């Protein structure tokens, strides 16, 4: 049986993208009052006059350089246009500066944040490039952070950790580095370290993005955040604009939801959605799935890189391939995001009935999580569905079973049932499925129990077992009205399988 | 209506200087907004450049008394610095040959004009670029050698120039470069009016820490650190056609730029450093292979975004020497001699 929709808990742990993308998404602007403009009117006017009088490449180059430094791009458009003309011979650098002036003056269309996070080069080649730059720039904390991300994306946890430690040692309160470090330590199952890192920094008390991360990671580490009161003030005092406090409001809303303060949670989620990030949007859509009164404007899904939220939206309406596509993009956006690979491979197996596609998704996830039992379980199921039973069995026995993860353990027992059925050992198969269902019920994992039961019925239909029609009818009665899209998909397929089997038995 | 400073044509000044013609200020002309330039002929028939202080702008300001006072103090400060430079034989600084005051009868704005006379230059370094705005390698390196020498001369007398930029590096006899315009210079222990400004010189070339308004109370770090950056920026200018600050502005995401950033310099520094790394990487691609490593290393040391780490690695840990540019004189000289063909590549050991 496949495993994928782990939707019980979600915290707003920072996304971790490369520095250029994070900047382009506008998540690194610094809160606080805007600085005073640089008083340099006379310097600029002199250069503007010189350009007007001389109309030479030299005076144009001087003016466009000044425009970029002083934020006067609008006043240097003519000079920049002059410099980008083919017949004007200037250095490549001068031409590039002129192009930047035109871009910032709105004369050229800026490139949008790419919706496809796929890199042209492999992770290994990006690592080579970053290491080569770091050889010359050993104090570049941004590069160390990007390098750490590349290592994490291919499962080299020790290297990722070392690179991040270097980055963290080089900065005081830099948001990009600290939030990335938090994401890494959570990824490496060390939320306490992530929390320690943040709570020791002064910037965490001043920067709402860091405060949000501290509150979220404290929750993962099962600690109490000491910044909740301060965070509440940051929002109520309106010292920051809604974009700056979107994730902070979302973190507080999630806490309120956990504490059962419905009204507060709704109010804070509403605040988080005024100008959301893709992460706060995903958090709100997650909350809306389990909590009435949180409304998410569908137009927000058009925001860049809202892959997770879109995947869930398509999941809800059983648009399996569209949802899988969003999971694929989500994995490329955050290669270490286990949930993306789990959810995508699950939908490929259960919704799209495409085990080959599931295998592809699992393998993407395994690069960063090579021993994740949930992903390996889905790979085993994919292999069984493709008829590669020996390979599936070998892989199944190699899985290190987590002691404390009841969900994975239960699912693995059910998968053993699937394997037994496909080996022709129906009694053992039924027994294992029954064990899994009982264990799931005992652990309050009712969704898992339902899915396991439906999988068992599928195998019984497939095996042509007598009495399966009654079992199926019972399942349809019991679960036909559940809201879960995957349950309904499975029920529909069971009905089809059963009808097809019945038809086949009538016309052998 | 013409101001007194615009009425000097045809006059003969003290010292025998005959004012020939007013020079329409070019972008390459030295001097600020409050001055006029003239071509003058001296008693020995030599031509020179005259910079006349124009008070009219100050008189039109909202607080004329204060503006006038600031202008006069700035002029006096610059004149005194020029006297010091001359007295100390600073041959890489454009020093005043003469200075004085003339009264224009019937002028509407009082008629008192103070002036400084300088040796006449061919133009600033930009006039030496070819049609595609590129500089000959040997010329650039020699000019950098001269600029470094000029800065060391100033620093040895406790003066920080603060405004070294292409238009303030003048060329004489096609090959001699000198630093001009001490109008924004500061001297350790003295306090000209502009010393209260965070960015004393042209902000277009200023080091990033000043643009982010990080004011270090340490004079050396703030002033000499700025000069070191400006020398590094001149290196970048000669090989790219733009100063380092403009290139940082290009490579920094606008949300991290000095115009948008509301946080501390420490917090934005990682992004500035990253942009700096990209600028230097691009610079590498266009440098002559013979010079590449040495030039890149000079730029990294002089334009290092963290002023605490700026300067030659061997001097960095000695506070009094951290921003010393002496070693760069030798380094530019060596590079220039090799580019000029006067140094055997095998024998010439790099300083």
């Amino acid at each position: 049986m496949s495993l994928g929709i782990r939707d019980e808990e979600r915290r707003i742990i920072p996304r971790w993208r490369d520095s250029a993308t994070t900047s382009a998404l506008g998540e690194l602007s610094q809160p606080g009052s805007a600085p005073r403009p640089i008083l340099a009117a006379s310097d600029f006017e002199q250069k503007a006059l010189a350009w007007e009088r001389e109309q030479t490449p030299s005076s144009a180059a001087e003016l466009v350089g000044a425009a970029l430094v002083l934020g006067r791009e609008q006043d240097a458009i003519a000079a920049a246009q002059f410099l980008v003309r083919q017949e004007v011979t200037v250095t490549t650098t001068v031409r590039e500066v002129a192009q930047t002036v035109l871009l910032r003056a709105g004369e050229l269309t800026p490139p949008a944040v790419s919706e496809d996070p796929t890199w042209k080069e492999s992770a290994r080649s990006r690592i080579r490039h970053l290491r080569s730059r770091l050889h010359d720039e050993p104090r570049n904390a941004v590069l160390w952070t990007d390098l750490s991300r590349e290592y994490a994306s291919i499962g080299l946890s020790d290297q990722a950790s070392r690179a991040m430690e270097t980055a963290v040692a080089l900065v005081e309160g830099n948001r990009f580095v600290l939030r990335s470090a938090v994401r890494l330590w959570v990824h490496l199952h060390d939320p306490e370290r992530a929390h320690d890192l943040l709570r020791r920094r002064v910037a965490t008390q001043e920067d709402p993005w860091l405060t949000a991360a501290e509150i979220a990671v404290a929750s993962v580490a099962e600690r109490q955040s000491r910044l909740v009161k301060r965070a509440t003030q940051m929002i109520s005092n309106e010292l920051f604009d809604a974009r700056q406090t979107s994730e902070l409001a979302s973190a507080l809303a999630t806490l309120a939801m956990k504490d059962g303060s419905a009204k507060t949670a709704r109010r804070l989620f509403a605040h988080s959605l005024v100008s959301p990030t893709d992460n706060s949007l995903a958090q709100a859509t997650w909350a809306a799935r389990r909590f009435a009164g949180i409304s998410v404007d569908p137009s927000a899904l058009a925001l860049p890189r809202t892959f997770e939220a879109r995947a869930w939206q398509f999941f809800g309406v059983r648009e399996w391939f569209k949802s899988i596509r969003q999971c694929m993009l989500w994995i490329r956006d955050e290669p270490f995001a286990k949930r993306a690979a789990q959810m995508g491979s699950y939908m490929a197996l259960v919704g799209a009935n495409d085990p080959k596609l599931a295998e592809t998704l699992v393998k993407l996830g395994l690069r960063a999580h090579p021993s994740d039992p949930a992903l390996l379980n889905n790979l085993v199921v994919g292999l069984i569905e493709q008829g590669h039973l020996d390979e599936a069995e070998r892989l199944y026995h190699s899985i290190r079973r987590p002691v404390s993860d009841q969900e994975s353990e239960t699912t693995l027992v059910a998968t053993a049932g699937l394997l037994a059925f496909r080996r022709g050992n129906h009694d053992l198969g039924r027994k294992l499925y029954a064990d899994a269902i009982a264990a799931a019920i005992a652990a309050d994992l009712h969704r898992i129990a339902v899915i396991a039961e439906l999988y068992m019925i599928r195998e019984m239909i497939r095996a042509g077992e007598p009495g399966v029609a009654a079992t199926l009818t019972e399942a349809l009665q019991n679960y036909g009205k559940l809201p879960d899209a995957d349950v309904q998909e499975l029920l529909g397929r069971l009905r089809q399988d059963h009808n097809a089997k019945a038809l086949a038995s009538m016309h052998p | 209506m013409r101001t007194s400073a615009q009425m000097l044509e045809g006059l003969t000044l003290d010292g025998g200087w005959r004012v020939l013609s007013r020079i329409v200020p070019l972008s390459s002309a030295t001097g600020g907004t409050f001055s006029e330039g003239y071509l003058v002929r001296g008693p020995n028939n030599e031509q020179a450049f005259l910079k006349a202080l124009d008070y009219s702008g100050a008189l039109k300001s909202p607080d004329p008394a204060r503006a006038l006072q600031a202008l006069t103090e700035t002029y006096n400060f610059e004149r005194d610095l020029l006297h010091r430079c001359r007295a100390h034989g600073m041959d890489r600084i454009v020093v005043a040959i003469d200075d004085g005051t003339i009264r224009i009868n019937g002028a509407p704005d009082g008629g008192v004009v103070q002036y400084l006379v300088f040796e006449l230059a061919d133009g600033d370094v930009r006039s030496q670029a070819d049609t595609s705005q590129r500089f000959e390698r040997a010329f650039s390196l020699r000019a950098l050698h001269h600029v470094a020498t000029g800065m060391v001369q100033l620093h040895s007398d406790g003066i920080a120039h603060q405004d070294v930029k292409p238009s303030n590096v003048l060329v004489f006899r096609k090959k001699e470069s000198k630093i001009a315009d001490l109008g924004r210079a500061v001297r350790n222990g003295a306090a000209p009016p502009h010393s209260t400004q965070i960015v004393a010189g042209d902000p277009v070339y200023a080091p990033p820490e000043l643009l982010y308004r990080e004011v270090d109370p340490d004079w050396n770090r703030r002033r000499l650190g700025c000069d070191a950056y400006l020398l590094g920026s001149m290196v970048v200018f000669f090989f790219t056609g733009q100063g380092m600050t403009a290139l940082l502005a290009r490579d920094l995401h606008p949300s991290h730029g000095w115009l948008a950033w509301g946080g501390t310099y420490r917090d934005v520094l990682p992004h500035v450093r990253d942009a700096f790394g990209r600028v230097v990487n691009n610079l590498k691609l266009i440098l002559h292979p013979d010079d590449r490593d040495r030039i890149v290393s000079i730029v990294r040391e002089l334009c290092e975004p963290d002023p605490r780490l700026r300067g030659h690695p061997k001097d960095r840990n000695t506070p009094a020497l951290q921003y010393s540019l002496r070693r760069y004189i030798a380094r530019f000289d060596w590079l220039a001699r090799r580019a000029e063909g006067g140094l055997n590549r095998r024998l010439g050991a790099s300083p």
Side-chain angles (χ1 to χ4, degrees):
Chain A
M1 185 187 101
S2 53
L3 177 63
I5 310 296
R6 289 186 153 181
D7 199 29
E8 280 69 31
E9 276 208 89
R10 187 188 191 284
R11 280 91 161 204
I12 186 151
I13 300 298
R15 296 276 195 221
W16 183 14
R17 300 181 172 105
D18 65 280
S19 52
T21 307
T22 314
S23 296
L25 287 168
E27 294 182 8
L28 298 179
S29 61
Q30 181 71 24
S33 56
R36 287 169 292 133
I38 301 161
L39 297 169
S42 65
D43 290 302
F44 187 82
E45 301 318 330
Q46 265 192 319
K47 291 172 176 70
L49 278 172
W51 153 246
E52 273 176 33
R53 203 168 37 237
E54 297 170 27
Q55 302 278 309
T56 58
S58 169
S59 58
E62 183 88 10
L63 185 64
V64 296
L68 262 194
V69 174
L70 303 172
R72 303 270 306 259
E73 290 88 350
Q74 292 291 343
D75 300 320
I77 292 171
Q81 283 170 337
F82 171 78
L83 289 170
V84 297
R85 273 168 28 196
Q86 285 297 323
E87 66 271 23
V88 177
T89 51
V90 288
T91 64
T92 313
T93 312
V94 168
R95 207 181 294 280
E96 283 169 1
V97 167
Q99 279 163 344
T100 309
V101 165
L102 292 174
L103 202 68
R104 293 193 187 165
E107 294 291 303
L108 297 175
T109 311
V113 178
S114 168
E115 265 299 271
D116 186 353
T118 313
W119 291 84
K120 284 184 188 137
E121 313 92 30
S122 67
R124 299 266 176 196
S125 105
R126 291 196 299 276
I127 286 170
R128 266 197 303 279
H129 170 72
L130 288 165
R131 285 175 60 93
S132 150
R133 268 193 74 187
L134 279 165
H135 180 265
D136 295 329
E137 305 168 51
R139 291 179 186 275
N140 190 332
V142 170
L143 283 188
W144 281 112
T145 308
D146 283 348
L147 180 67
S148 173
R149 183 178 181 277
E150 294 299 342
Y151 280 135
S153 75
I154 53 171
L156 297 176
S157 303
D158 289 346
Q159 288 91 329
S161 210
R162 279 199 296 275
M164 188 57 84
E165 281 161 9
T166 309
V168 165
L170 285 167
V171 301
E172 289 168 20
N174 183 269
R175 184 191 303 162
F176 172 68
V177 175
L178 295 181
R179 279 170 58 92
S180 302
V182 166
R183 182 65 184 87
L184 175 69
W185 303 143
V186 170
H187 164 65
L188 297 178
H189 310 291
D190 198 351
E192 293 81 10
R193 185 177 188 184
H195 187 235
D196 289 343
L197 172 76
L198 284 183
R199 69 176 173 178
R200 287 182 190 143
R201 306 270 164 158
V202 177
T204 308
Q205 298 180 27
E206 293 161 357
D207 181 345
W209 297 80
L210 292 176
T211 316
E214 194 272 347
I215 292 169
V217 82
S219 170
V220 179
E222 296 182 347
R223 291 176 175 176
Q224 289 286 324
S225 166
R226 291 181 195 159
L227 295 177
V228 172
K229 195 175 169 191
R230 190 176 176 84
T232 309
Q233 284 169 347
M234 276 181 178
I235 291 171
S236 58
N237 291 351
E238 296 182 358
L239 290 174
F240 305 98
D241 65 40
R243 172 75 171 175
Q244 300 290 341
T245 51
S246 173
E247 294 202 2
L248 183 61
S250 185
L252 288 173
T254 309
L255 275 189
M257 198 170 146
K258 200 175 168 188
D259 295 343
S261 311
K263 199 175 160 190
T264 309
R266 286 190 194 104
R267 180 176 54 78
L268 287 165
F269 273 124
H271 179 104
S272 79
L273 291 170
V274 173
S275 180
T277 63
D278 73 286
N279 201 6
S280 59
L281 182 69
Q283 190 72 8
T285 54
W286 167 81
R289 287 194 291 278
R290 53 195 30 72
F291 213 61
I294 297 167
S295 67
V296 179
D297 181 357
S299 68
L301 294 169
L303 287 170
R305 306 225 173 183
T306 51
F307 306 130
E308 184 184 352
R310 283 183 225 157
W312 278 105
Q313 188 213 21
F314 289 127
F315 174 87
V317 293
R318 292 160 71 178
E319 295 250 30
W320 305 113
F321 284 102
K322 284 184 181 172
S323 185
I324 291 165
R325 160 91 179 137
Q326 294 303 318
C327 285
M328 207 86 122
L329 292 168
W330 179 11
I331 296 169
R332 286 177 183 149
D333 192 30
E334 280 199 307
F336 34 81
K338 192 163 57 179
R339 285 184 307 123
Q342 286 173 352
M343 182 177 175
S345 57
Y346 175 81
M347 281 190 294
L349 289 166
V350 173
N353 201 17
D354 188 339
K356 191 75 196 159
L357 181 58
E359 196 180 328
T360 305
L361 280 145
V362 167
K363 284 180 177 169
L364 286 174
L366 286 174
R367 286 191 304 192
H369 302 272
S371 55
D372 180 67
L375 286 173
L376 289 170
N377 173 77
N378 286 3
L379 184 54
V380 169
V381 175
L383 290 170
I384 294 171
E385 300 286 8
Q386 292 176 76
H388 306 312
L389 300 186
D390 292 341
E391 193 184 344
E393 191 161 356
R394 270 197 306 276
L395 181 63
Y396 182 86
H397 289 300
S398 74
I399 299 174
R400 270 182 292 170
R401 304 175 83 118
V403 181
S404 56
D405 185 352
Q406 192 64 39
E407 200 172 330
S408 290
E409 178 54 31
T410 310
T411 308
L412 281 164
V413 173
T415 298
L418 173 65
L419 190 58
F421 262 110
R422 296 296 171 98
R423 288 281 192 203
N425 194 342
H426 300 172
D427 290 343
L428 178 60
R430 258 197 315 279
K431 181 190 175 306
L432 288 167
Y433 269 120
D435 288 350
I437 293 163
I441 291 168
D444 265 352
L445 298 168
H446 295 287
R447 244 184 64 85
I448 300 267
V450 172
I451 303 283
E453 189 180 335
L454 298 183
Y455 259 83
M456 183 180 71
I457 295 171
R458 188 186 72 162
E459 292 310 303
M460 288 164 70
I461 294 170
R462 198 182 151 95
E465 291 199 1
V468 71
T471 315
L472 176 59
T473 307
E474 197 181 334
L476 287 167
Q477 277 170 358
N478 289 342
Y479 311 130
K481 290 194 175 155
L482 286 180
D484 307 52
D486 49 345
V487 170
Q488 294 314 313
E489 181 72 25
L490 278 172
L491 281 173
R493 199 163 306 136
L494 289 181
R495 208 183 286 122
Q496 272 179 9
D497 289 353
H498 183 255
N499 291 344
K501 200 80 181 175
L503 205 61
S505 65
M506 286 164 64
H507 304 284
Chain B
M1 189 184 293
R2 289 195 302 163
T3 64
S4 300
Q6 291 168 341
M7 297 166 70
L8 302 190
E9 263 175 325
L11 298 179
T12 302
L13 314 175
D14 289 348
W17 298 103
R18 180 159 182 75
V19 185
L20 301 177
S21 57
R22 189 170 156 222
I23 298 171
V24 176
L26 299 172
S27 62
S28 54
T30 184
T33 316
F34 302 111
S35 62
E36 293 289 336
Y38 289 91
L39 186 65
V40 294
R41 191 183 300 281
N44 301 320
N45 215 28
E46 75 277 27
Q47 287 201 333
F49 172 77
L50 181 138
K51 176 179 167 183
L53 197 65
D54 191 343
Y55 290 118
S56 60
L59 291 170
K60 287 178 203 153
S61 78
D63 188 350
R66 200 172 293 279
L68 217 51
Q69 184 191 7
L71 200 56
T72 313
E73 282 178 12
T74 303
Y75 169 79
N76 289 337
F77 184 77
E78 183 180 1
R79 188 191 55 194
D80 294 347
L81 285 186
L82 288 166
H83 283 169
R84 289 183 74 92
C85 294
R86 196 171 180 186
H88 286 85
M90 297 186 191
D91 59 348
R92 291 290 159 214
I93 305 298
V94 180
V95 293
I97 308 167
D98 203 355
D99 62 84
T101 306
I102 186 169
R103 189 172 291 276
I104 314 285
N105 293 328
D109 54 354
V112 177
V113 179
Q114 290 178 295
Y115 60 85
L116 294 159
V117 181
F118 298 95
E119 186 184 359
L120 189 66
D122 303 337
D124 73 45
V125 286
R126 291 172 299 173
S127 64
Q128 303 301 309
D130 66 15
T131 50
S132 60
Q133 301 306 301
R134 287 180 176 83
F135 293 93
E136 196 209 333
R137 182 171 146 243
F139 168 81
S140 303
L141 293 165
R142 181 55 66 200
L144 287 165
H145 168 230
H146 291 164
V147 172
T149 308
M151 291 175 97
V152 168
Q153 289 174 348
L154 289 171
H155 291 184
S156 61
D157 195 36
I159 301 166
H161 188 283
Q162 304 292 279
D163 202 20
V164 173
K165 58 181 180 178
S167 63
N168 282 342
V169 177
L170 303 187
V171 181
F172 299 84
R173 294 167 288 281
K174 300 284 178 202
K175 56 181 183 179
E176 300 279 316
S177 298
K178 294 185 183 187
I179 303 172
D181 197 355
L182 297 181
R184 303 200 187 175
V186 290
R187 197 165 149 257
N188 202 353
H194 55 264
S195 66
T196 55
Q197 294 169 6
I198 294 174
V199 182
D202 186 344
V204 174
Y205 293 90
E209 70 271 15
L210 296 183
L211 296 176
Y212 286 99
R213 295 174 182 78
E214 171 155 293
V215 180
D216 200 306
D218 181 88
W219 193 89
N220 279 2
R221 192 172 288 159
R222 181 174 172 191
R223 302 303 190 183
L224 299 184
C226 170
D227 270 8
Y229 176 91
L230 294 174
L231 177 59
S233 183
M234 280 301 299
V235 180
V236 175
F237 169 78
F238 273 116
F239 294 103
T240 68
Q242 287 288 355
M244 174 58 87
T245 309
L247 300 185
L248 284 178
R250 180 197 65 182
D251 277 24
L252 269 169
H253 188 272
S255 64
H256 299 139
W258 37 83
L259 297 168
W261 189 253
T264 66
Y265 185 56
R266 290 289 124 204
D267 288 345
V268 80
L269 187 55
H271 301 291
V272 178
R273 184 181 294 291
D274 189 44
F276 174 66
R278 286 196 294 275
V279 171
V280 175
N281 265 3
N282 288 333
L283 177 67
K284 262 185 189 174
L285 302 175
I286 53 177
L287 288 171
H288 190 284
D290 282 357
D291 303 334
R292 186 176 296 141
D293 290 348
R294 291 180 178 87
I295 297 281
V296 162
S297 134
I298 288 170
V299 171
R300 280 194 200 285
E301 290 160 22
L302 292 175
C303 292
E304 157 63 45
D306 185 347
R308 295 175 304 183
L309 302 171
R310 198 172 289 155
H312 194 283
K314 288 183 179 167
D315 295 333
R316 220 177 267 161
N317 296 324
T318 314
L321 289 178
Q322 181 177 357
Y323 304 108
S324 168
L325 301 176
R326 284 184 191 281
R327 293 179 193 274
Y328 297 95
I329 297 176
R331 288 168 85 177
F332 285 127
D333 184 36
W334 187 88
L335 286 164
R337 278 196 286 153
R338 195 174 60 169
E340 288 157 355
L343 191 69
N344 185 317
R345 205 175 282 181
R346 282 176 297 132
L347 296 176
S350 172

